[in-house]
Structures are given as C-alpha cells and as structure tokens.
Amino acid sequence: MKNKILICSLLAGVMAITSCKKQVEEHAYDQLVADNFYNNKTEVLSAVLRPYTHANAWVTPSGQDGWWRPAELSGDQLAWPTKGRHGEDGGKWKRLHYHTWTVDEGGLNNAWSLMFWGMGLCNDPIEQLSKRDIASMGITQTEKDSYIAELKLLRAFHYLKLMDLFGNIPIVTKVGEPAKPETKTRKEVFNFIESEIKENIDKAPKLSRAMLGRMSQAGGYAMLVELYLNAEVWTGTPRWDDCIAAADKLISNQAGGQNGAMALDPNITDQFKTTNDLSKEVIFSIAYNYSVANFQPSWPSEFYHFKQQEIYGGGRNGNDGIVVIPGVYTTYDAADQRRSDWLLIGPMFKFVNPTQPVLASEEYNGQQLVFVDNIRKNKSGSTVTNMSEGEENSGVRFNKYKLGNQFAGPGGVPAIDPNYNNGDWNIYRLTWIYFAKAEALMRKNGGIATQDVCDLINACKSRAFSTADWATRRYTPATLTLDELLAERGREFIFEGFRRDDLIRFGKFATATWWDHNPTNATKTLYPIPQQQRDLNSNLKQNPGY
C-alpha cells in the first residue's frame, strides 16, 4: 500500500491548507488559488492533487449536495424518506424523488457551485504550470507535461458531470475569465469534453499503482465510454462504434491498471472492501487512507442508521437517511450474492456479540432494530406507503462498501481490521465498461442481444452466484432483452451514481412508474440552471421547461 499511503499523505497536506468542507462561494468559476505556490515539486504536486480532495465533496455520497444525490435520488432505486421526526429537510428529498424540483433548489445550487469550484481548482494549476519554467518549479519537462494533461482530463471529468446534470453550461478554462461566461449548448460542451480528452489522453500517464486515485489514460478512456454511451441523448447522434472502441482500450489492457494488468475481479467483494485499492478492475476512484492521512470516506452519514456502529463494529453512525426503494430488493434472485452481501435487511445484532440485538432508538426504542422492505408506519398498522410515512427501520439498507471493524468480534474473531475506514470510492470500474460495450453492441443490433453481448454480461454476473446456481441463470440471446439489461444494470451498479442516466437512456426516467412515483415531464431529464447563479450571471440561459 506504499503508493496509496504517499498519495493520501500528500492529500492530507493539501486539505490542511484549504478544506473542501467550507461554505462554497457564489462565483465558483472565478476562485483563485494562491499564486505563489509552485516553488518546488512538493508544492506543485499539492496543487495538482487539490482537485481530488475537493471531488470527494461532490462526486461521492459525501453528506453534501453535489452530483451524486441528484444522480441517484431521482431514480427508481434509492430514496431519502421522512422517518418519524427525521428526514423532512424542507421537502428536498421528496422533490428529488417526485421530480418536482424548482429553479430555487439550494441543493442544485450547491452542486453547481461545488463542481465549478472543482473545475477552477483544475484551471488554476493548468494556467500556473503552463506559464512557469521547469527550473523554478523543480520538475522535469516530462513531469510538467504529464501534470497538465492529467489536470485537463480531470477538468473534462468535471465538465462531463456538470453537463450530465444541467446540459447547457458555460465553458471556462481560465480563472475568472470571463467574469460572466455565456451558456454553451450541451452539444458544444460535449464536443469540448471530447476534444480535451483526445488531445491529452496520450500525454497523461497510464494507470498504475502510482496513479491510484488520480486521472490517467484509463480514466480518459472511461470518460470517452461514458460520453459515447450517452451521446444519442446528449447530442442527438448515437456513437456506438466509438463507445465500443474506447471500451476495448480498457478491456484489452492498453491503458494500464492499478494492480498489474486490468481485469475483472474474481468476486463481488474485492472492489468494495477496505483493501479495494488492491482491486484489479478499478479504473478511477476517490482514494482514502484514514489510518495514515486521516482522510476518510464520507458516505456513512448518508446511509448509516443512528446505531449502525453496533452492527459492523466500527465508530461511525449516520443520519438514517438513504434507503432502497421498496421492491428493489426482491428484483435480486434469492441466490444472488449481491443481495446478501450488498444489502442489509432483517433483525440486526451486535458485531461484538451476535447473540445480543441492536436496539432501536426512535419509534421502536428499546426493541430490536429490524430493517424492512417497506416504507410505512408499521407500528400503527398503517398500509399507506409514500415518502412521508417512514419509520427509523424503514427500507433495506446500504452494505455494498465496507468500512471494516474497529473492534474485534467475539473471541477476537474477526480481528480488528487494520485497514478500517480506508476503502476507496470507485468512480469507474471495468465491470461498468463491460456493460457499456454490451449495451452498445446490442443497440447497434436493433436492441437484440448477440452471444458476444451475453458473454460480456455473464462474465460479470456469474461472480454473484455459486457454480451450481449459475448453471440455470446464464443469459442467452433469448433472455437478455433491453429491459432485462436495464434491470441487471440496476442490480450491478446500485449506489454507484449511474441510475438516472440509465433510466434516461432507456426512455424510462420521465415515463415510468416506480413505488409511489408517477410519470413526469420530459423536460425533467435536465435539471434547471440554479436561479441563484442566473441572478449573479445574466448570461446564463435557463433550460427548457423551467
């Protein structure tokens, strides 16, 4: 773990300089990092790494309103219902769920600000490195070129996610210039992102252990896969062949790997455990190392119950917030190990003594905590189910990523996890690339699966079943329809941030019904440009329908 320790230690130093948790500024695209900060290689590297610490705030379920919440909580798998006296929060979660958001949403304004701020944290070192000579910075020309290419790829990633949510946005490549940038169409932004990636991908380093948690050639190709997979929605022109070609760069290991040759992990756990930095399939992640750098995952606040630490033997609880929408749990086959390993349901017991129940603290105070696959007031016998009717135990819970255990189990088994709180959050992994290539091949073939398509999906899905169970669950061209592919994408990538885009691409986001959500308007496939930003910049145009 040497490289991860080094990178995370540098990230901790950056965070000490300026925290990404502070209140975001209004003019996010004109923030200026201190000019006198490039006097040696350590300072240069700190500036290069700064956008990564900030990305934790907006691209992961961090407890902040960034990209992840509107990307997932508007879909058909996850929700943050009101549970008793907790979780109303001004109705913000209901508006995401029911697609009734407005131009004045504070959460969307915060997401816009965080992402443009992160983009500015890329622009500044790009500008500073470009204008300074290598001798004054104590780096080589090769290092300078590599850093700039890495930052331009990372900036393209910011624009990709901004375009994903808001569509039509400004393009800003210099800090504070122009002061009030004009809106560009989604197609113009798409073209800018594509050109930035293509111009810099070969100049950036290949993925390696040294590039863990950083943007690399592999990350660049993953972005191209995402661009081309969604190109028909984002530009009106399908790019299936380009999607396949970019995917093949990763599948054939032409862009490197963080642990030797890139390959699918042999199981469904290596990508999500506390040592997932050793995974062979992770392409780009937000890297953490709490034990060395005090930089820890932020997602427990989103998913964990108030008493969660007793369940897994750690020291962190949460806000009893996000749960799995009723019925999603039962879309998994009973033999599917993803259901038993990634989701948490039923009576909860203490990690340190599994004979003792975890006791609830709200409606069921003093009784065993039992997570259920419904959202209703069961204590009073109510059958009404909607976003207002939850209790503290409502909904199946997140268990996909593991924090590890801070305390030993009974008799010292399992022992204390030395990597407690160290697991990375994956942005792209090879499994997602397999699915993207399979979908592109299928859509090229009129929505009909070929054996090649089935082989790609089966290579991923088979890991979730025992050898005996898998024999009757393998996909064939007859069973793998587009609707089934969407369902399998949901099962595989739950919690990972892709569900909104999947539903839009499959034509379901504004037309489908799930749980208590009814079809909405097609304009809801884009979020509004936050009115607070338009008040500050008269050159920003509002999206259609708002």
Side-chain angles (χ1 to χ4, degrees):
M1 299 181 69
K2 181 179 179 181
N3 292 107
K4 184 177 182 182
I5 291 171
L6 175 60
I7 291 167
C8 289
S9 297
L10 285 167
L11 290 175
V14 174
M15 292 182 72
I17 296 169
T18 174
S19 170
C20 64
K21 298 287 188 181
K22 70 179 182 181
Q23 182 67 33
V24 296
E25 300 292 338
E26 302 295 353
H27 294 285
Y29 36 71
D30 66 1
Q31 297 304 299
L32 182 63
V33 178
D35 190 58
N36 187 26
F37 191 65
Y38 296 83
N39 299 311
N40 54 60
K41 186 174 180 177
T42 298
E43 290 185 356
V44 169
L45 191 54
S46 292
V48 171
L49 295 179
R50 176 64 183 96
Y52 295 104
T53 63
H54 181 81
N56 170 65
W58 65 265
V59 77
T60 77
S62 67
Q64 299 190 62
D65 288 309
W67 167 81
W68 188 91
R69 284 175 173 176
E72 279 286 7
L73 298 185
S74 58
D76 63 350
Q77 290 188 306
L78 306 178
W80 190 322
T82 301
K83 305 180 197 70
R85 63 194 178 106
H86 298 286
E88 181 62 24
D89 297 334
K92 62 188 292 187
W93 315 122
K94 294 175 184 176
R95 293 192 294 276
L96 277 175
H97 176 74
Y98 295 125
H99 298 185
T100 56
W101 50 75
T102 71
V103 299
D104 297 312
E105 295 293 336
L108 292 178
N109 182 64
N110 201 69
W112 174 286
S113 297
L114 279 172
M115 285 189 277
F116 266 109
W117 182 9
M119 176 272 297
L121 291 171
C122 296
N123 279 342
D124 185 73
I126 290 171
E127 182 178 351
Q128 296 292 336
L129 286 168
S130 298
K131 72 183 183 182
R132 293 168 185 262
D133 65 87
I134 58 175
S136 68
M137 296 185 289
I139 60 176
T140 66
Q141 187 64 47
T142 299
E143 288 171 331
K144 176 179 176 177
D145 294 343
S146 177
Y147 291 151
I148 291 173
E150 175 186 351
L151 285 164
K152 286 186 175 181
L153 290 178
L154 185 58
R155 179 174 67 185
F157 177 70
H158 284 73
Y159 275 113
L160 191 156
K161 295 305 184 183
L162 277 160
M163 179 187 66
D164 169 27
L165 295 186
F166 300 106
N168 310 294
I169 59 173
I171 296 174
V172 182
T173 59
K174 293 191 70 174
V175 175
E177 296 181 24
K180 293 185 177 182
E182 295 181 350
T183 297
K184 300 295 183 183
T185 66
R186 197 182 216 180
K187 187 173 183 178
E188 289 175 310
V189 180
F190 181 102
N191 291 339
F192 169 76
I193 296 167
E194 182 185 21
S195 65
E196 282 282 281
I197 297 172
K198 286 185 170 181
E199 289 172 10
N200 291 283
I201 195 166
D202 290 333
K203 301 174 187 176
K206 289 188 175 183
L207 179 59
S208 65
R209 189 71 186 168
M211 293 299 293
L212 186 151
R214 294 169 62 181
M215 187 56 74
S216 64
Q217 287 187 25
Y221 283 116
M223 284 192 287
L224 288 177
V225 171
E226 184 171 5
L227 271 181
Y228 298 142
L229 183 65
N230 293 288
E232 187 169 22
V233 171
W234 290 349
T235 71
T237 303
R239 302 280 295 273
W240 306 123
D241 285 328
D242 290 327
C243 179
I244 294 164
D248 282 341
K249 291 285 189 178
L250 295 163
I251 293 171
S252 62
N253 192 41
Q254 294 183 50
Q258 71 173 23
N259 291 288
M262 187 178 294
L264 291 178
D265 287 324
N267 53 54
I268 62 162
T269 57
D270 283 358
Q271 314 93 314
F272 307 110
K273 59 189 182 183
T274 59
T275 54
N276 63 353
D277 60 299
L278 301 178
S279 164
K280 295 184 73 67
E281 77 167 65
V282 175
I283 297 169
F284 178 47
S285 64
I286 302 299
Y288 304 99
N289 196 314
Y290 176 73
S291 55
V292 172
N294 200 30
F295 186 38
Q296 64 183 3
S298 301
W299 49 260
S301 65
E302 302 281 85
F303 299 117
Y304 277 1
H305 184 270
F306 306 127
K307 303 288 286 291
Q308 195 88 14
Q309 64 183 37
E310 296 182 20
I311 299 171
Y312 72 95
R316 303 178 67 186
N317 291 317
N319 293 316
D320 197 29
I322 296 169
V323 304
V324 178
I325 284 175
V328 172
Y329 177 78
T330 55
T331 66
Y332 288 84
D333 189 300
D336 192 331
Q337 295 166 20
R338 295 172 299 187
R339 184 168 94 158
S340 56
D341 192 81
W342 294 355
L343 304 174
L344 202 59
I345 190 172
M348 295 295 109
F349 295 89
K350 293 184 178 182
F351 181 87
V352 297
N353 187 346
T355 66
Q356 294 183 358
V358 174
L359 301 182
S361 58
E362 296 293 323
E363 292 89 350
Y364 298 92
N365 185 34
Q367 301 177 49
Q368 185 171 22
L369 179 63
V370 181
F371 294 132
V372 295
D373 187 21
N374 60 64
I375 298 173
R376 62 186 184 224
K377 297 190 183 300
N378 292 305
K379 189 172 184 180
S380 63
S382 174
T383 59
V384 177
T385 177
N386 59 49
M387 286 285 286
S388 299
E389 297 295 313
E391 298 177 311
E392 68 170 304
N393 65 333
S394 292
V396 176
R397 303 305 173 100
F398 169 96
N399 197 41
K400 194 169 191 175
Y401 283 82
K402 307 299 192 290
L403 273 190
N405 54 295
Q406 198 175 20
F407 305 98
V413 181
I416 294 172
D417 185 348
N419 295 293
Y420 170 73
N421 228 5
N422 284 352
D424 304 334
W425 183 269
N426 304 325
I427 307 301
Y428 294 118
R429 56 189 181 99
L430 191 59
T431 300
W432 186 83
I433 302 299
Y434 270 57
F435 271 73
K437 180 180 178 179
E439 182 180 336
L441 287 168
M442 198 168 175
R443 291 189 184 277
K444 274 191 65 180
N445 195 42
I448 305 300
T450 63
Q451 189 57 51
D452 286 343
V453 171
C454 294
D455 289 345
L456 286 163
I457 303 302
N458 285 334
C460 304
K461 183 181 178 181
S462 62
R463 301 174 298 177
F465 293 87
S466 68
T467 301
D469 289 331
W470 178 241
T472 57
R473 290 165 173 86
R474 183 186 303 273
Y475 282 125
T476 68
T479 59
L480 187 54
T481 63
L482 276 175
D483 281 345
E484 177 58 25
L485 179 62
L486 176 63
E488 182 59 20
R489 285 188 67 91
R491 289 186 285 267
E492 178 65 32
F493 302 113
I494 189 169
F495 306 114
E496 294 189 44
F498 297 108
R499 194 57 178 174
R500 170 180 165 273
D501 281 345
D502 289 350
L503 292 172
I504 292 171
R505 202 170 56 255
F506 281 78
K508 306 289 188 182
F509 187 76
T511 62
T513 299
W514 54 84
W515 180 37
D516 68 332
H517 172 97
N518 294 314
T520 52
N521 191 287
T523 59
K524 298 298 183 179
T525 57
L526 277 182
Y527 286 105
I529 306 301
Q531 187 59 43
Q532 192 170 349
Q533 298 300 322
R534 297 188 69 224
D535 291 342
L536 293 164
N537 180 2
S538 57
N539 290 325
L540 294 179
K541 296 179 181 179
Q542 187 54 271
N543 285 327
Y546 296 101

